[in-house]
Amino acid sequence: MIEITDRWGLAKRGGWVSKNIQVPAVLSIHDPLNMPGSFFDDVDGDFPRAFAYPDYLGARMVEIKDGTLKVQPVFDQTPDPDAEVYILGNAPEMMGRAGILVDRMLSLRRRIAPHKLIYAPGVASPQNIAILTYMGVDLFDTVYCEYMDAQGVELSDWMGFPGNSESNVDKLRAELELVKKGIEYGRIRELVESRVRSEPWMVEALRLLDEEYDTVSPGVPVSGDKLFACTRESLQRPDILRFRKRIKERYNPPERKVLLLLPCSASKPYFNSRTHWFIRQATGQADWTQVHEVVLTSPLGAVPRELELFYPAQNYDIPVSHTWFDDEKEMVLELLDHIMKQGGYEHIVSHLPSDMEFVNHHIGCKNTTEGDHPTSDESLERLKEHLISIVGKETGDVKNYLKENLSNLARFQFGPGGEKLLEHAFVKGRYPNYRFIHDKTQRGMIVAQRGMIALTVQGGEILNKEGIYQVEIDDFKPKGTVFAVGVKEADPRIHPQDECILTHEGELKGVGKAVMSGPEMTAACRGGAVEVRHYV
Amino acid sequence: MHLDDFPKRFRDKRSDKTDLVATWHGQEMLKGELTDTFAIIFRTRGCSWSYRSGCTMCGYHTDTNPRVEIGDLEDQLKEAISRYGGEDIVKIYTSGSFLDPNEVPTDLSTYILSSFDSKLTVVESRPEYVKPEVIDTMTDQVDQLEIAIGLESANDFVLEHCINKGFTFSDYKKAREIVFEANARLRTYLLLKPPFLTEQEAIDDLLYSIGSVSHPMNTISINPVNVQRYSPLELLWKRKLYRPAWLWSLLEVIHKADEEMVISRAGLGSFRGAHNCGECDSNIVEAINNFFKESSILEDISNCSCKDEWRAYKEFEPYMYFRGTPDILSDRYTGYF
């Protein structure tokens, strides 16, 4: 029985409970695998008409049943749902052919449960196991490395060169350890981005995977540690793409008079940075409750102030050279257009540095920096004066301002219906540690480090009414951890690290933090599914 | 795509020429003596099997023309006779079966045979065209007739699934009886490394086949498979799913087999034919070319570092591709998971 403990997208880490084997794993062909027999032993037997390779000849599947665990070699057939390990029969044929590889891997993965394992025989090298793990391969072997040993080729994580290496397998295992660490610390994507650069087909594969957002994204956590967006592919990472998609699908700007466009800051969250501290000194002198601040940035595009804590807004870092690439510009302007269209702003004010002139050019608005540094005394003075001239000095309805902001965060986190959490509630506390309260009971609070709302039972009741982010469990009192075996069905929108509610036949049983995605907890029968925070 | 779909896609690559495909002069051992040979390839309408299905490694259909007429064949014969230098061995090939009356009408084939003054005449045919009355007529025309049959493998499984040969080992054996009854000689072509076999399986298959066809009146001809244009095999090869046999494998077969045999040189040492690392190929090919004169020449081949690579290739190849019966695959993974 396989139990997955960490996951990121399609990559996962875990092990066989009974056998003390960890995945991802490198199998050795010497032990305990046996040499395959020759099929001459079986010439009169029932051999499939079509060979098991190559795949394009229409190969048929063969089945293996071995006691407790069922293993199925597959090509393009319908996988048997009872198997736990699927063997990609024609893996070597697909190396270097990114389109076919990604297509086969994902079509297989879509038809089997997220926690099931895939074995790609005969292909693993220190160069490719990062991307292969990322696309959902869990089991590798030493065959390719040992064959390269014999050919006098020394492999590394970026190329093979002539040498008398006997250590290719050691290098493979060392790389495997890095891959495991990458999954454990939620940094596998960065490892993959650096490894794929050694060969064009691997970059192709990564780009093709990024186009398969719906398949890859469910397993990508909604919170995390650092995120370094160092490559062009980083712009399309599922977690970054998800942020941009949610701006379009889940976000409605608050009703404010002024849209204020701001640059991002190197230190995160933005409000902690020196730049934004200076800007706050200027905006604070006008009626800031009438001002909607939106930070324009790559790779997230546009980050409204209310969402500055939400992963990955407070986690990302990018190389800044003050040169904007066309696709970055396009992304920023696309989201800005969307926000401008949705919000009923009377005025748009830009307080952007000179390298972001393309924004002013696009919307033709007042630029209060006038090409100066955004924190220079002159530009801050101009910002202050301009805002005062529009909204005046008198501070407006702060309570409503906070409620609108939190309501937007709730909707961003839970989708339509999430804003109900703030209905009839008021916000208490000091930013960012806001709590929202209704009728003397707290419904939830922002956990600054996670960048999201954590629910109380009362908050859970509201989501239960809306029917969102539900995990339907058997009838028991959820304490500690709810295991996947106890989950009947879960909202497919749930990602690892998401806040979710536990229900049984319509009745709220508790609230907690998801460990796996909704589809995975529905399918899996082992492993923790939800860490319970409160129960009824 | 399935193996059965190959003919439709590839078998239309035929020629519109009507002349001889080729002739060449060479040498071969005959009764212990080095003898000059003359080989002719007639351009006929081509192998009947290639119209119905076709073999996986065969690209000879490119040398055939469905519109060749008797007059063209007669012109080709005149041209061949003009190139003939009185060699004692004459090999008469078509890209098909010389004995198939649809390719070469019986009257004409009889006339062709009588046109050369040789001690041994070799013609090729699929076994289904080897019929007593035809063979008897032909043996009358020449000193000694040798019927060459492309058996490829004595293993019916390989014939059916790897080669798509369209006949079985027992069909070959029936033809062999007819040939020997008529006091003709037999020549049997065997392949080294048909498609879909691993290197080791190919060696085993060839040794088994050599043992199965051994006979004093039979010349065994080893044909290491070369990748021919417009053959199904070429597709496999282009997708890196097929590597022509190593020369080391060929040497292993030569060493291990007790029978006398001739080695076809087509493609040896080239990328599309049986080859090694590129460094040692020319020496080994030269030795193989001359081994029919002096068999000890192969003992002197010095080892190249690629021999270790070949051993490793044989060891790891079975793991790279998934192919085998459920039982084999089951054995392979039993105890692991």
Side-chain angles (χ1 to χ4, degrees):
Chain A
M1 202 59 109
I2 299 147
E3 183 172 328
I4 304 302
T5 52
D6 305 284
R7 64 272 292 159
W8 205 99
L10 301 175
K12 55 194 173 295
R13 192 182 168 174
W16 263 283
V17 183
S18 55
K19 297 209 172 184
N20 197 26
I21 297 173
Q22 292 221 321
V23 290
V26 169
L27 314 180
S28 166
I29 61 161
H30 300 299
D31 181 66
L33 291 171
N34 306 310
M35 267 301 274
S38 165
F39 73 66
F40 289 104
D41 305 341
D42 213 39
V43 163
D44 298 325
D46 178 25
F47 198 86
R49 166 67 180 87
F51 280 82
Y53 89 96
D55 77 296
Y56 64 91
L57 288 181
R60 270 203 312 204
M61 77 179 178
V62 280
E63 268 182 32
I64 297 171
K65 279 182 185 166
D66 166 29
T68 53
L69 183 75
K70 200 171 164 192
V71 178
Q72 185 195 29
V74 284
F75 296 87
D76 54 355
Q77 325 80 349
T78 305
D80 182 336
D82 291 339
E84 290 213 56
V85 178
Y86 300 84
I87 304 173
L88 208 58
N90 48 327
E93 185 189 352
M94 295 190 280
M95 288 299 109
R97 295 158 74 207
I100 290 172
L101 177 64
V102 170
D103 186 57
R104 281 290 155 83
M105 274 300 297
L106 294 193
S107 72
L108 175 58
R109 183 54 80 185
R110 281 185 208 108
R111 290 181 293 175
I112 62 177
H115 63 287
K116 300 294 179 80
L117 301 186
I118 297 176
Y119 170 29
V123 297
S125 84
Q127 257 176 288
N128 66 20
I129 57 166
I131 179 74
L132 291 174
T133 306
Y134 185 82
M135 67 176 73
V137 179
D138 308 284
L139 297 169
F140 303 95
D141 57 38
T142 57
V143 170
Y144 182 78
C145 286
E146 291 193 54
Y147 183 46
M148 288 298 121
D149 275 345
Q151 289 201 318
V153 175
E154 195 173 333
L155 299 172
S156 72
D157 55 34
W158 67 286
M159 72 172 285
F161 38 89
N164 289 318
S165 168
E166 297 281 300
S167 62
N168 286 332
V169 173
D170 294 341
K171 285 179 181 155
L172 181 65
R173 293 192 189 283
E175 179 72 5
L176 180 76
E177 288 310 307
L178 290 182
V179 169
K180 283 188 192 168
K181 287 266 182 290
I183 301 169
E184 186 182 344
Y185 292 104
R187 302 291 295 277
I188 180 72
R189 175 74 189 204
E190 281 96 323
L191 177 66
V192 169
E193 284 180 10
S194 75
R195 292 297 186 252
V196 297
R197 311 239 82 77
S198 61
E199 278 186 32
W201 77 265
M202 296 200 284
V203 179
E204 276 166 41
L206 184 58
R207 288 183 186 167
L208 291 170
L209 279 164
D210 285 342
E211 287 173 17
E212 301 290 341
Y213 175 83
D214 292 341
T215 307
V216 180
S217 153
V220 178
V222 283
S223 83
D225 196 6
K226 283 261 169 281
L227 183 164
F228 290 148
C230 294
T231 72
R232 195 183 176 127
E233 285 70 42
S234 308
L235 301 184
Q236 307 300 333
R237 287 174 59 130
D239 40 10
I240 283 172
L241 191 58
R242 181 192 296 151
F243 191 94
R244 298 204 301 265
K245 279 171 105 78
R246 281 190 180 185
I247 290 282
K248 285 185 175 169
E249 289 160 9
R250 292 187 170 186
Y251 180 72
N252 290 326
E255 281 176 35
R256 309 235 168 105
K257 221 178 215 172
V258 181
L259 171 64
L260 174 59
L261 306 177
L262 297 174
C264 67
S265 60
S267 62
K268 312 272 176 343
Y270 303 133
F271 76 88
N272 265 345
S273 71
R274 191 175 157 276
T275 312
H276 282 239
W277 185 86
F278 276 117
I279 291 169
R280 202 154 56 238
Q281 302 315 305
T283 56
Q285 297 184 45
D287 178 9
W288 46 273
T289 63
Q290 284 299 314
V291 178
H292 185 220
E293 296 176 6
V294 173
V295 177
L296 300 183
T297 178
S298 177
L300 295 180
V303 181
R305 178 66 76 193
E306 315 91 275
L307 307 178
E308 69 179 345
L309 293 173
F310 202 90
Y311 178 85
Q314 66 162 322
N315 312 77
Y316 77 97
D317 204 353
I318 49 158
V320 178
S321 58
H322 300 292
T323 307
W324 290 72
F325 296 109
D326 285 347
D327 38 3
E328 292 177 304
K329 289 182 188 174
E330 212 171 285
M331 199 173 70
V332 166
L333 297 179
E334 191 189 335
L335 289 191
L336 178 58
D337 281 342
H338 177 81
I339 289 171
M340 278 167 29
K341 211 171 131 197
Q342 299 291 312
Y345 308 108
E346 291 169 29
H347 302 271
I348 298 172
V349 180
S350 148
H351 192 72
L352 298 170
S354 53
D355 58 282
M356 296 185 75
E357 201 52 51
F358 66 92
V359 175
N360 305 323
H361 200 259
H362 179 72
I363 51 179
C365 64
K366 167 85 175 168
N367 179 13
T368 48
T369 61
E370 293 182 8
D372 275 357
H373 196 274
T375 57
S376 77
D377 290 346
E378 294 78 10
S379 52
L380 287 170
E381 184 64 22
R382 278 191 295 270
L383 174 62
K384 184 185 86 181
E385 292 302 328
H386 188 58
L387 287 180
I388 290 173
S389 77
I390 301 170
V391 294
K393 286 185 168 181
E394 204 66 38
T395 307
D397 187 348
V398 175
K399 276 186 183 167
N400 186 52
Y401 175 91
L402 295 180
K403 200 170 139 178
E404 274 183 344
N405 280 5
L406 221 60
S407 174
N408 272 353
L409 175 61
R411 190 181 153 97
F412 196 76
Q413 180 174 338
F414 297 111
E419 71 280 0
K420 292 271 167 39
L421 283 168
L422 270 293
E423 213 170 56
H424 312 300
F426 68 93
V427 179
K428 249 182 113 169
R430 191 182 151 83
Y431 190 73
N433 300 310
Y434 286 146
R435 293 171 288 140
F436 45 101
I437 288 160
H438 168 68
D439 202 13
K440 290 185 184 161
T441 56
Q442 184 174 321
R443 285 177 177 169
M445 64 181 289
I446 295 182
V447 182
Q449 211 191 343
R450 268 176 77 207
M452 345 173 47
I453 291 167
L455 297 168
T456 62
V457 168
Q458 286 73 23
E461 293 286 7
I462 291 171
L463 291 195
N464 193 20
K465 239 177 264 166
E466 296 297 316
I468 53 177
Y469 281 69
Q470 279 173 327
V471 177
E472 179 74 9
I473 58 172
D474 293 328
D475 191 11
F476 58 88
K477 216 178 239 315
K479 287 182 193 174
T481 301
V482 169
F483 290 94
V485 67
V487 174
K488 284 181 162 168
E489 212 185 340
D491 191 331
R493 285 172 294 190
I494 296 172
H495 298 279
Q497 302 296 316
D498 246 328
E499 197 71 10
C500 60
I501 61 171
L502 299 161
T503 58
H504 177 72
E505 290 175 359
E507 202 181 314
L508 185 77
K509 306 294 275 185
V511 294
K513 186 173 74 172
V515 179
M516 46 177 80
S517 70
E520 187 178 348
M521 43 179 112
T522 305
C525 5
R526 281 203 83 97
V530 179
E531 287 170 9
V532 182
R533 183 176 307 103
H534 305 292
Y535 59 93
V536 180
Chain B
M1 187 166 56
H2 194 272
L3 207 58
D4 292 342
D5 298 329
F6 271 123
K8 294 182 208 79
R9 284 185 53 189
F10 288 86
R11 300 298 173 194
D12 55 354
K13 297 285 179 191
R14 296 186 188 266
S15 170
D16 49 14
K17 292 181 186 169
T18 54
D19 58 345
L20 274 178
V21 175
T23 58
W24 69 88
H25 308 269
Q27 285 186 320
E28 205 171 278
M29 295 301 271
L30 178 64
K31 291 172 188 160
E33 278 180 43
L34 199 57
T35 311
D36 289 335
T37 65
F38 178 62
I40 312 158
I41 305 178
F42 282 95
R43 191 184 308 278
T44 63
R45 69 183 296 277
C47 175
S48 57
W49 179 242
S50 77
Y51 285 91
R52 279 187 287 152
S53 182
C55 300
T56 51
M57 72 294 167
C58 182
Y60 288 132
H61 49 91
T62 56
D63 287 337
T64 67
N65 179 357
R67 286 167 296 277
V68 163
E69 288 168 8
I70 294 182
D72 298 322
L73 291 174
E74 286 165 352
D75 290 346
Q76 290 180 27
L77 177 63
K78 277 179 207 152
E79 175 65 25
I81 290 169
S82 74
R83 296 185 198 173
Y84 177 53
E87 286 87 350
D88 280 337
I89 301 180
V90 171
K91 302 174 177 180
I92 300 168
Y93 302 151
T94 71
S95 296
S97 297
F98 186 74
L99 305 192
D100 175 1
N102 286 320
E103 273 191 69
V104 186
T106 313
D107 293 351
L108 182 59
S109 57
T110 315
Y111 178 64
I112 291 174
L113 288 176
S114 63
S115 304
F116 299 96
D117 181 24
S118 58
K119 288 183 182 160
L120 177 70
T121 307
V122 186
V123 299
E124 293 178 326
S125 179
R126 287 174 64 84
E128 58 262 40
Y129 304 113
V130 177
K131 293 181 178 139
E133 58 276 17
V134 178
I135 306 294
D136 285 342
T137 320
M138 288 186 168
T139 46
D140 293 344
Q141 309 300 319
V142 293
D143 278 9
Q144 176 66 268
L145 183 69
E146 186 167 294
I147 305 291
I149 297 178
L151 172 63
E152 328 299 16
S153 168
N155 187 323
D156 277 342
F157 181 85
V158 173
L159 285 177
E160 182 184 352
H161 297 302
C162 300
I163 301 173
N164 192 37
K165 192 71 198 179
F167 63 74
T168 62
F169 187 47
S170 67
D171 294 330
Y172 162 85
K173 282 192 284 193
K174 275 178 219 150
R176 177 170 70 183
E177 284 312 303
I178 296 166
V179 171
F180 290 161
E181 284 287 311
N183 280 324
R185 286 187 58 89
L186 184 68
R187 177 177 293 235
T188 305
Y189 299 128
L190 296 174
L191 294 184
L192 173 57
K193 204 168 179 183
F196 304 113
L197 294 191
T198 63
E199 195 79 14
Q200 188 59 54
E201 285 165 351
I203 295 169
D204 295 345
D205 177 54
L206 182 50
L207 288 169
Y208 166 78
S209 300
I210 290 170
S212 306
V213 302
S214 176
H215 188 281
M217 287 287 278
N218 184 13
T219 306
I220 297 173
S221 172
I222 305 299
N223 297 28
V225 171
N226 60 81
V227 180
Q228 299 176 352
R229 284 184 204 284
Y230 302 113
S231 65
L233 177 61
E234 190 184 34
L235 249 187
L236 291 179
W237 176 72
K238 281 184 175 168
R239 290 177 187 237
K240 296 191 171 29
L241 292 172
Y242 179 80
R243 187 209 186 281
W246 291 71
L247 292 173
W248 296 121
S249 302
L250 181 56
L251 292 177
E252 182 175 323
V253 170
I254 294 170
H255 284 307
K256 281 194 178 163
D258 299 324
E259 290 77 3
E260 271 193 27
M261 50 201 166
V262 297
I263 312 292
S264 160
R265 296 155 211 182
L268 282 195
S270 80
F271 200 51
R272 279 178 178 254
H275 66 275
N276 279 351
C277 63
E279 299 275 322
C280 57
D281 290 62
S282 54
N283 284 340
I284 297 178
V285 172
E286 201 188 324
I288 290 171
N289 284 345
N290 293 316
F291 120 97
F292 65 94
K293 290 184 238 167
E294 177 61 64
S295 61
S296 66
I297 201 164
L298 293 179
E299 310 291 329
D300 302 334
I301 290 173
S302 56
N303 276 351
C304 174
S305 62
C306 75
K307 197 164 183 178
D308 288 337
E309 200 188 311
W310 165 68
R311 289 198 188 98
Y313 184 81
K314 287 197 294 177
E315 184 184 354
F316 296 119
E317 191 189 17
Y319 291 101
M320 304 249 203
Y321 300 104
F322 236 79
R323 210 181 30 95
T325 65
D327 286 346
I328 288 167
L329 297 179
S330 184
D331 284 350
R332 186 160 151 188
Y333 292 98
T334 294
Y336 198 86
F337 294 117

